[in-house]
Amino acid sequence: MKLAILDRDGTLNAAGEPFLHAPESWVALPGVLEAVARLNRGGWHVVLATNQPGLGLGEVGLGELNAMHARMHRALAAAGARIEAVFYCPHAPEEGCGCRAPAPGLMRQIAERYGAESHETWVIGSGAAHLQAGAHLGAHLHLVCAQTAAEVLSGRPLPPEFPPQTRTHASLAELVASLVPAEPLPPPSAPGKLP
Ligand SMILES: [Zn+2]
């Protein structure tokens, strides 16, 4: 069993300030749909874990969130990709819950649901909180720097808020290429059989 727990904004789709509202504001980052499809074909379980404080703050409605995720699932399906489940913390930061990353509650729930051991769990995100939560699980930690963490790739050491075992990648696609071997090309069509 291999379980990938992805963050949402900045990892899968472009992040918005401060909250994404309209379904149309969910826009996949380049290459991520294909990367998720490649994980699926490699037999991985792929889920999302995301802090959604806009719900607890009354800034984002549950209907808006569900509509956005429906759009996300359609975009994934069109690319032959599937995210099995979306787990989110709906609380505002002041509520002090145990499921808002960097607290590990949400990720613990996911790992238990899937029966995934720490060595079978890859926590993949673009921000320190997601990776800190993953560090509590002892999971593999991977930072993708496509959008919000782009400055980390500039050759400077990883900022101290990131767990030291974090590995960095330019994009989700680059990471996935290292996790799932490329599929062999289909055999060439016989001459004269092309439509
Ligand atoms: Zn929470």
Side-chain angles (χ1 to χ4, degrees):
M1 118 85 73
K2 287 183 174 178
L3 173 65
I5 304 176
L6 274 56
D7 203 352
R8 197 191 75 177
D9 300 351
T11 301
L12 204 61
N13 55 279
E17 288 295 333
F19 304 112
L20 297 179
H21 284 271
E24 304 77 53
S25 60
W26 190 91
V27 178
L29 289 169
V32 300
L33 301 176
E34 296 77 9
V36 173
R38 186 166 172 171
L39 283 169
N40 297 147
R41 288 196 302 270
W44 289 60
H45 298 277
V46 184
V47 302
L48 283 192
T50 171
N51 288 344
Q52 292 298 321
L55 290 170
L57 294 167
E59 296 282 340
V60 177
L62 190 56
E64 286 180 309
L65 188 71
N66 288 338
M68 182 179 299
H69 289 163
R71 173 183 162 91
M72 176 188 79
H73 287 301
R74 283 194 300 274
L76 287 158
R82 182 164 177 262
I83 285 177
E84 293 180 17
V86 178
F87 297 85
Y88 58 85
C89 162
H91 305 113
E94 309 76 52
E95 294 181 65
C97 69
C99 54
R100 177 180 161 80
L106 194 62
M107 288 199 193
R108 287 228 167 94
Q109 277 179 38
I110 297 170
E112 280 170 24
R113 180 87 63 95
Y114 280 83
E117 304 286 341
S118 58
H119 68 275
E120 299 171 315
T121 305
W122 276 254
V123 170
I124 301 165
S126 53
H130 188 78
L131 297 170
Q132 287 168 1
H136 286 286
L137 269 64
H140 305 271
L141 306 180
H142 293 273
L143 174 67
V144 292
C145 303
Q147 196 193 18
T148 48
E151 70 280 4
V152 175
L153 269 191
S154 59
R156 280 175 284 173
L158 205 58
E161 64 269 28
F162 288 93
Q165 64 272 42
T166 302
R167 297 176 61 186
T168 59
H169 308 269
S171 66
L172 184 64
E174 186 196 282
L175 165 61
V176 169
S178 72
L179 296 175
V180 181
E183 291 145 13
L185 292 170
S189 308
K193 287 200 173 170
L194 293 170

